[in-house]
Amino acid sequence: MSPRTPAPTRREQILKQAARLFAERGFHGVGVDEIGAAVGISGPGLYRHFAGKDAMLAELLVGISSRLLDGGRLRVREAGPDDPAALLASLIDGHIDFALDDRALITLHDRELDRLRDSDRKLVRQFQRQYVELWVAVVRDLHPHIPEVRARGAVHAVFGLLNSTPHLGSYGAGLPTRTATENLLRRLAHGAFAALSDPAEVAEEAPGVTRLGADKETRPA
């Protein structure tokens, strides 16, 4: 018998509804009273949990960046160093879960990150950089011939692909089931990383050579 998932706390309920409403109507388009109504408490009652909307936004964006990084590190520890292909697959699956289950947070990040205090925004960026570099290390273990800059570019490209889920619509209204969408995203992500082994790409990125443009000769880096 599988363990029961703990019921969300009131604070978690508030954050979930705040993320949904902020994503739907924008940060300034939502009042504290509306967030409170969505969880069944008065607007002023929210101040027992958060100092205000700014604090909710900061916890949402800093929190998801921290959780992604912690989840990635956990997958690295659990997988061990001997099977980078399995580890990359695990990282992809974890990010797909985020991209499908937390679409409101992706929208929120894209629209509202600049509203955070400098210290919170820097913390988000710090967590994100560490998360990217974790993936880059795994990709380079799997494709050791790939320059670091190309591996990093591939990771960012895959993130862009997976984080496109807010634009896909809702299930049953142009979007297939969650399982079908998950499988599609998984195939696309694995295909993108597999392209790093394309012989033409390998030759193009030969060590010590920098490609300056399709119509220009290459020169030593």
Side-chain angles (χ1 to χ4, degrees):
M1 188 173 179
S2 59
R4 178 182 298 177
T5 302
T9 65
R10 177 65 81 185
R11 188 181 184 88
E12 290 168 340
Q13 292 172 346
I14 293 169
L15 287 173
K16 181 177 180 179
Q17 293 304 320
R20 178 182 64 82
L21 291 168
F22 292 159
E24 289 176 356
R25 304 215 302 272
F27 180 74
H28 287 306
V30 179
V32 172
D33 289 343
E34 294 170 278
I35 299 172
V39 294
I41 62 177
S42 66
L46 288 180
Y47 292 108
R48 291 197 297 269
H49 302 276
F50 296 95
K53 289 198 308 178
D54 289 338
M56 295 179 207
L57 181 64
E59 184 154 337
L60 284 166
L61 294 183
V62 173
I64 190 55
S65 297
S66 175
R67 290 197 301 276
L68 280 171
L69 177 59
D70 289 344
R73 286 172 169 168
L74 178 61
R75 289 170 185 272
V76 169
R77 290 196 299 271
E78 291 177 341
D82 299 328
D83 194 349
L87 175 52
L88 182 60
S90 178
L91 289 172
I92 289 171
D93 286 349
H95 200 95
I96 288 174
D97 284 341
F98 155 69
L100 292 177
D101 296 338
D102 292 296
R103 289 192 279 175
L105 291 179
I106 296 174
T107 298
L108 208 56
H109 176 276
D110 290 346
R111 292 181 184 170
E112 312 290 359
L113 181 64
D114 288 344
R115 299 191 188 281
L116 295 184
R117 298 180 304 175
D118 285 347
S119 58
D120 288 329
R121 188 167 58 252
K122 288 177 181 177
L123 193 56
V124 169
R125 293 302 192 195
Q126 175 186 325
F127 290 149
Q128 290 174 339
R129 284 193 298 271
Q130 292 173 353
Y131 184 58
V132 168
E133 294 310 308
L134 185 151
W135 279 63
V136 169
V138 176
V139 170
R140 295 197 74 204
D141 283 344
L142 189 58
H143 301 281
H145 61 281
I146 296 299
E148 182 176 319
V149 66
R150 188 166 184 82
R152 187 173 296 109
V155 169
H156 280 294
V158 169
F159 285 173
L161 166 69
L162 299 181
N163 292 348
S164 67
T165 50
H167 306 291
L168 298 180
S170 57
Y171 300 117
L175 187 67
T177 65
R178 187 192 191 285
T179 298
T181 304
E182 178 183 344
N183 290 336
L184 174 61
L185 291 173
R186 184 180 294 112
R187 290 196 300 272
L188 291 172
H190 281 284
F193 285 123
L196 293 171
S197 294
D198 186 323
E201 297 291 335
V202 174
E204 191 171 278
E205 296 292 345
V209 174
T210 301
R211 183 167 177 78
L212 301 178
D215 58 346
K216 300 178 182 178
E217 65 177 348
T218 55
R219 300 176 184 172

